[in-house]
Amino acid sequence: MSNPQQLRYSKEHEWLSAAEDGVATVGITEHAANALGDVVYADLPEAGAAVTAGETCGELESTKSVSDLYSPVTGEVVEANQDVVDDPSLVNSAPFEGGWLFKVRITEEPKDLLSADEYTEFSGS
């Protein structure tokens, strides 16, 4: 398993793309997707919702458990991934591609996001 170098990571196992025009994409890591097991339901924040770094903004339900989804940044959601709502298994099959969760216009980014190497050391993956 390899964590893409261009992304940044939270200790809650979310990833964050580089912002384009202030908007970044958020998803969960492959490590988190594997730990969850088969994701069968995704409750994602809706466009227009305010999210706060480190706070719950949705949840993912798997055959093993229900897990809270945390925002790695503070901002306003501009889009939820309807494909994941329709087919939650995308979180498992393509966590860094089609399984992204939402896009957010960032107003504040915490200083403690991890690089790919730091996240790999933190998560052991």
Side-chain angles (χ1 to χ4, degrees):
M1 168 174 7
S2 178
N3 297 304
Q5 290 292 319
Q6 74 275 18
L7 303 176
R8 284 166 291 145
Y9 301 84
S10 74
K11 290 185 177 180
E12 288 81 23
H13 306 285
E14 280 82 26
W15 58 261
L16 178 74
S17 72
E20 293 182 26
D21 296 325
V23 176
T25 303
V26 175
I28 67 165
T29 65
E30 187 173 2
H31 173 81
N34 289 339
L36 271 172
D38 295 333
V39 176
V40 296
Y41 176 76
D43 178 23
L44 305 179
E46 296 180 8
V51 292
T52 303
E55 293 191 7
T56 303
C57 62
E59 67 181 25
L60 297 173
E61 184 178 327
S62 72
T63 54
K64 292 182 182 179
S65 67
V66 174
S67 179
D68 286 334
L69 173 63
Y70 296 90
S71 180
V73 295
T74 298
E76 180 183 337
V77 175
V78 296
E79 180 183 357
N81 187 348
Q82 188 61 45
D83 290 341
V84 166
V85 172
D86 295 341
D87 181 7
S89 70
L90 287 171
V91 171
N92 299 104
S93 63
F96 296 114
E97 294 90 24
W100 61 273
L101 301 176
F102 63 95
K103 295 185 179 188
V104 59
R105 183 170 308 283
I106 300 171
T107 57
E108 186 178 335
E109 186 174 315
K111 305 256 187 268
D112 63 350
L113 292 176
L114 306 172
S115 69
D117 293 338
E118 290 167 333
Y119 178 75
T120 298
E121 185 176 321
F122 168 77
S123 65
S125 60

